[in-house]
Amino acid sequence: MEWIAAVVTYFGATALIGAVLWLFKNLIITRLTNSVRHEFNEKLEKLRSELRKQETAFKADLDAKEKEITDLRSGALSTMVSRQVALDKRRLDAVDQLWSAATKLSRFKGQSGMMSAIKFPNMAEEAERNPEARRVFEPMSAAEDLKKLDLSEAAAARPYVSPMAWAPQVDRSVRQS
């Protein structure tokens, strides 16, 4: 019986030691797993926090650049609009200047029509020989001198009007004859 009691005690002590070792092993594995998991979670949260900060900084930088682009666009558009308004005003002034020159020159339309009807080389020869022929030209010379007319405003308007508006207008009656 003693022998059985010794075997039972030996196996009982061995089983107890095995059970304690198994429990100790599981305890160590659980603690190590939890420790590694905890460290991993801390590093993951730190990385997420850094990424959120970078994302916030990136969004702020992106918003600042977007605002800068918007400001540049609006500045460029307002400059373009103001330049167009100034150009349109200058074009209207050019039309006024051309009209003023046209009205100044309209006083000489009759004289110009008379001169176009006269064959000038033949009339010049006749005026040299005949003083009566010179009297035909006296009313024309009594009128204002074309050289005294100031048409510089009209010349300054030339860049602001179309080439067609600047082109000399030929009277239809002259063109048809």
Side-chain angles (χ1 to χ4, degrees), residues 109-138:
K109 191 172 184 177
Q111 295 167 350
S112 175
M114 277 181 32
M115 289 302 291
S116 67
I118 297 173
K119 294 184 179 174
F120 189 75
N122 295 344
M123 192 64 177
E125 286 178 18
E126 184 63 30
E128 281 182 30
R129 287 179 287 176
N130 183 356
E132 290 295 317
R134 288 185 208 147
R135 282 196 210 159
V136 172
F137 293 106
E138 283 179 8

Side-chain angles (χ1 to χ4, degrees), residues 68-95:
E68 184 179 342
I69 288 171
T70 303
D71 290 345
L72 286 172
R73 276 187 190 153
S74 66
L77 286 176
S78 67
T79 301
M80 195 168 72
V81 166
S82 65
R83 286 181 65 200
Q84 189 62 42
V85 166
L87 185 61
D88 289 344
K89 182 187 179 313
R90 186 64 185 103
R91 284 182 179 154
L92 288 173
D93 291 344
V95 168

Side-chain angles (χ1 to χ4, degrees), residues 24 29 33 60 76 80 95 106 108 110 112 129 136 139-140 144 175:
F24 188 65
I29 288 173
T33 303
M80 195 168 72
V95 168
S106 68
F108 299 100
S112 175
R129 287 179 287 176
V136 172
M140 288 185 230
E144 290 183 49
R175 208 181 320 162

Side-chain angles (χ1 to χ4, degrees), residues 10-52:
Y10 176 74
F11 281 117
T14 304
L16 183 62
I17 289 174
V20 168
L21 285 176
W22 182 79
L23 285 173
F24 188 65
K25 178 185 99 170
N26 282 344
L27 178 67
I28 289 175
I29 288 173
T30 304
R31 293 211 28 97
L32 281 175
T33 303
N34 287 339
S35 175
V36 168
R37 184 178 295 139
H38 179 70
E39 286 180 33
F40 177 76
N41 286 340
E42 281 183 346
K43 286 182 181 178
L44 187 61
E45 275 304 313
K46 187 177 180 182
L47 183 62
R48 283 181 183 159
S49 174
E50 287 176 15
L51 286 175
R52 280 189 213 112

